[in-house]
Amino acid sequence: MFPVATRDTFEGATLRGTFSIVRTFGTSAVGRTIYLPGEQLRLTAQSLPYTSAYNGLSIGDNSNLYGDVRFPKLPIGTWRHAQGEWTTGKDSLWIQKIVPSDEELFRLYGHINLQGGALCGLISEYKGKAIAPTVIYAGMTTQVNAYGDYALRIPLGTTLAPQMTVVCEGIRVDVPVPVDRLQNPTEHVEVSVTLSNRPPVVSAISATANGQAVGSAVVDDAGATSNNVPRSDQFLTYKGIDTGDSACAYYLAIGATPSCGVRGELPPNALKFDEWKRMRKLAPYDGTSPELRATYVNRVDLNLVRDMHAVKNNSRDFAFYVCNYPKPRSTSENDVLAAIAGARAGKNLVACVAMDYSATEGTNFDPTIGSYRSFTKFYVFGPGGNLITSVNLDGRGEKYVPGSCVVCHGGSGYTGKFPRTTFPITADSNGPSASIEARFLPFDLGNYNFSPTAGLRKADQQLALKQMNYLVRDIEADFSGSNVAGTAIMSLIDGWYADSPNRFVNSNLDESYIPSGWRPTGALAAASADSATAPNFYRQVIARSCRTCHVALPNRDWDTTRPPVGGAHVCGGTEELSLNAKMANSKVTFDQFWLTAQQVPSFRALLGTHLGCGPAGIGVFAPFQDPAFPSN
């Protein structure tokens, strides 16, 4: 590992501001939030009680195509901005919605799309491109946002024109504008445009070497619900979207690279997988602690074959890594056997993802213990063992660390993108802290498939996975500062092994476990629309489709709190496009969830009763992402 400069040492909160207004679209007057690109947000420190030397300093940026302005961790205190003031707290991700003070001036608005409903332009962090259409009217120009919407300020006294121009890559179209309506200073006018062309259709991709086929495209099932939400940023992005430079900045912060290129390129001497295993005392560099290993298919999460390894070197030094291999062709026993056998033989490796919980000099100093505290770090290594900044885990394109990790592993110190700088740059603060407060996840055997081969069967691996779960519990205990069942992760593991809590004694994980709150007489069940079906809702919906990730999200773990009824995240159908149908945020889980909803009436009834979901009016029971433009 490479030396790490001293990182931000103050307590505070990461922050994301989102600029938006609400307008109605179409003849049905459907409400819709329009996220505003290019809006400036500047915060000035007004009253920082613990870091008063920073008072008067400012930090700011313009909103991106999602309407977001993302800030690194800001010290506790009061911050002024054009719309008022905010007060930051300690160790939290803080999201603030911002309505511009001149909101009424956004009088010309609408939606731009291609034939068939697809959006024009391209947003690809991997390719380093953010191409969006523009709307030009009366000498003013605005960008179309990531959802295909625009809103243009029309100040009083503007000389109105009878048409506006839409430009998208090589397309330039003049569109009539109802000037008579715009002349009314209180009227908001929608002008939505469907351009004449369609996006290209890719029907096949092949790869050959020396005349032999060596690869094929990953093709979605024809009936998969995820086909209705084809955006590359739909999945594995809920907590944020990183770029090459922010991913390299993260590796720089944890000491995995000595430098970063202009676009985040890693130098040849960046950390190698073999070096990481040597430092963490994993085979072939075995230490005094036994290395645990288990191989399975995580069919409900990413549906990859996972070859998992883990070791505990001491009470504050743990390391796990998982090498990922392609999914089985089907869920049949023979296909699972073949896929796992291939993984154990090292065939067709996708990438190895490593995590360690250890201390790093210069980061996460704890004055109560007088030393640097351990924290969770992520690394991704390619098939050749080189450190890489991104990985494609679901066929929807490359996603960068750490955003692709914290989407499931939590991270209350992560603000939507790992920052390259901190606030402010001072002699003792040379960059943002790498301690993003992510967590290790417990191993939920009810969501896995196993090989029928002796030694790899579920029964054969129960003990190894039980011991891995207790390592996760040990990490959680140190992270939370308590060895009692004080977090959702600890309580879940304790519940799974309530009948046999000795980690060294083989026992089966209780796949039917239900937290006390969801049992018929529990508080969460009592607060449900139907307490009698609440246990089934937990077992069939939360445990199978939500718990894997949500257990790592404080206040949203769904073991001790209830998911919102009628919320946008699952059912969709609201004016907030950034939230609609975003859960499950794994493509595999999303498709399995909605396929079950379409095929199993009792499951569908549970969603209606406990989440408020219902038929979306499009012929099937499915999430409703865009009420105004369903074809999107």
Side-chain angles (χ1 to χ4, degrees):
M1 298 289 280
F2 299 93
V4 173
T6 301
R7 300 282 150 175
D8 50 30
T9 55
F10 54 81
E11 291 183 336
T14 54
L15 182 146
R16 186 169 83 219
T18 301
F19 284 92
S20 65
I21 60 174
V22 176
R23 294 290 183 264
T24 56
F25 281 74
T27 56
S28 59
V30 176
R32 182 183 184 87
T33 297
I34 300 178
Y35 305 98
L36 303 174
E39 296 292 310
Q40 186 182 71
L41 178 60
R42 177 157 292 278
L43 301 177
T44 301
Q46 181 178 2
S47 177
L48 308 182
Y50 307 112
T51 50
S52 57
Y54 298 162
N55 286 339
L57 295 179
S58 296
I59 185 170
D61 203 351
N62 292 335
S63 57
N64 59 21
L65 292 177
Y66 298 89
D68 287 345
V69 182
R70 295 163 179 165
F71 293 97
K73 188 169 74 173
L74 301 176
I76 293 172
T78 302
W79 297 81
R80 294 285 304 173
H81 61 93
Q83 282 75 32
E85 65 181 34
W86 295 337
T87 301
T88 55
K90 175 185 175 182
D91 299 332
S92 63
L93 170 60
W94 190 44
I95 302 175
Q96 187 75 26
K97 198 169 182 177
I98 309 165
V99 177
S101 57
D102 60 351
E103 183 266 347
E104 284 300 314
L105 292 183
F106 288 89
R107 297 197 291 119
L108 181 62
Y109 69 96
H111 183 77
I112 311 295
N113 59 264
L114 304 175
Q115 293 288 324
L119 302 181
C120 193
L122 171 69
I123 302 176
S124 172
E125 302 295 358
Y126 183 68
K127 295 178 180 178
K129 294 183 179 294
I131 302 171
T134 56
V135 172
I136 305 169
Y137 180 71
M140 299 173 289
T141 301
T142 190
Q143 280 189 302
V144 177
N145 70 19
Y147 302 94
D149 302 327
Y150 74 92
L152 186 65
R153 287 181 175 90
I154 309 293
L156 297 178
T158 297
T159 301
L160 303 177
Q163 65 183 22
M164 69 182 197
T165 302
V166 177
V167 180
C168 182
E169 298 187 68
I171 306 170
R172 187 181 183 94
V173 179
D174 292 330
V175 182
V177 173
V179 174
D180 55 333
R181 293 180 57 197
L182 274 181
Q183 287 174 341
N184 181 349
T186 63
E187 186 166 2
H188 300 142
V189 179
E190 177 194 355
V191 179
S192 293
V193 181
T194 297
L195 300 172
S196 59
N197 61 334
R198 294 176 179 271
V201 176
V202 179
S203 57
I205 300 176
S206 62
T208 59
N210 299 321
Q212 299 294 316
V214 295
S216 59
V218 176
V219 180
D220 292 333
D221 295 335
T225 304
S226 60
N227 293 338
N228 298 329
V229 283
R231 298 169 59 94
S232 62
D233 60 359
Q234 172 70 21
F235 301 108
L236 303 181
T237 59
Y238 183 73
K239 285 185 69 67
I241 302 176
D242 275 286
T243 60
D245 63 339
S246 68
C248 190
Y250 174 74
Y251 282 151
L252 189 67
I254 62 175
T257 181
S259 62
C260 293
V262 175
R263 290 188 54 193
E265 301 89 348
L266 294 170
N269 62 334
L271 182 69
K272 303 294 189 290
F273 190 26
D274 191 65
E275 296 173 33
W276 179 85
K277 287 192 285 189
R278 177 178 52 78
M279 290 186 296
R280 303 269 69 90
K281 301 177 182 178
L282 287 150
Y285 308 102
D286 297 349
T288 58
S289 301
E291 182 173 329
L292 302 171
R293 185 181 186 184
T295 311
Y296 52 87
V297 179
N298 64 339
R299 73 173 191 280
V300 177
D301 183 3
L302 295 171
N303 199 24
L304 297 170
V305 180
R306 315 206 87 183
D307 189 8
M308 181 71 66
H309 299 248
V311 69
K312 176 181 180 178
N313 292 312
N314 60 56
S315 63
R316 289 183 173 171
D317 188 331
F318 300 76
F320 286 64
Y321 77 84
V322 58
C323 289
N324 297 283
Y325 296 85
K327 68 180 181 179
R329 295 170 61 90
S330 75
T331 57
S332 73
E333 186 174 88
N334 286 339
D335 283 343
V336 172
L337 183 153
I340 291 180
R344 295 285 287 202
K347 295 180 179 179
N348 300 318
L349 173 63
V350 176
C352 294
V353 178
M355 297 173 62
D356 63 59
Y357 182 79
S358 60
T360 296
E361 188 79 14
T363 296
N364 210 28
F365 183 77
D366 185 349
T368 63
I369 61 175
S371 63
Y372 295 97
R373 287 195 66 88
S374 296
F375 64 96
T376 298
K377 311 174 192 70
F378 300 101
Y379 315 79
V380 181
F381 298 98
N386 291 323
L387 189 69
I388 56 179
T389 53
S390 68
V391 64
N392 186 347
L393 294 172
D394 62 0
R396 286 291 179 93
E398 299 285 328
K399 304 293 192 304
Y400 287 96
V401 297
S404 57
C405 306
V406 298
V407 66
C408 194
H409 286 268
S412 57
Y414 177 85
T415 186
K417 179 180 179 181
F418 192 80
R420 292 207 70 161
T421 59
T422 188
F423 176 86
I425 300 296
T426 65
D428 65 344
S429 182
N430 297 315
S433 174
S435 178
I436 54 179
E437 300 184 30
R439 288 172 146 92
F440 282 69
L441 299 175
F443 297 88
D444 196 339
L445 277 66
N447 290 342
Y448 301 163
N449 282 339
F450 293 85
S451 171
T453 302
L456 296 175
R457 296 167 299 194
K458 178 189 282 190
D460 301 329
Q461 300 190 86
Q462 284 276 3
L463 179 58
L465 286 161
K466 178 180 182 179
Q467 292 177 337
M468 287 185 187
N469 271 325
Y470 273 97
L471 295 191
V472 172
R473 193 191 188 286
D474 292 342
I475 294 170
E476 189 72 7
D478 186 71
F479 177 80
S480 65
S482 172
N483 194 41
V484 299
T487 71
I489 290 175
M490 296 164 71
S491 297
L492 179 61
I493 294 170
D494 291 344
W496 279 341
Y497 300 107
D499 293 337
S500 180
N502 187 332
R503 72 179 68 194
F504 301 108
V505 175
N506 195 11
S507 64
N508 292 342
L509 179 147
D510 181 5
E511 296 177 24
S512 65
Y513 166 74
I514 299 177
S516 58
W518 285 103
R519 295 169 192 168
T521 58
L524 299 178
S528 302
D530 181 8
S531 60
T533 60
N536 285 338
F537 172 70
Y538 178 85
R539 186 183 295 114
Q540 296 179 36
V541 179
I542 292 176
R544 297 286 75 85
S545 302
C546 312
R547 186 172 66 190
T548 295
C549 297
H550 274 272
V551 73
L553 306 178
N555 304 317
R556 293 178 177 84
D557 59 75
W558 308 152
D559 273 25
T560 60
T561 56
R562 278 189 53 79
V565 176
H569 294 80
V570 177
C571 314
T574 76
E575 63 188 29
E576 291 287 352
L577 301 187
S578 64
L579 302 180
N580 283 346
K582 293 293 283 187
M583 295 292 152
N585 206 233
S586 158
K587 180 174 174 290
V588 170
T589 314
F590 185 89
D591 280 334
Q592 292 182 3
F593 181 93
W594 289 109
L595 179 64
T596 305
Q598 293 162 24
Q599 295 181 343
V600 182
S602 60
F603 186 89
R604 195 157 61 238
L606 289 172
L607 300 187
T609 299
H610 296 278
L611 291 178
C613 297
I618 54 175
V620 295
F621 194 96
F624 207 7
Q625 189 185 42
D626 194 334
F629 299 94
S631 62
N632 286 351

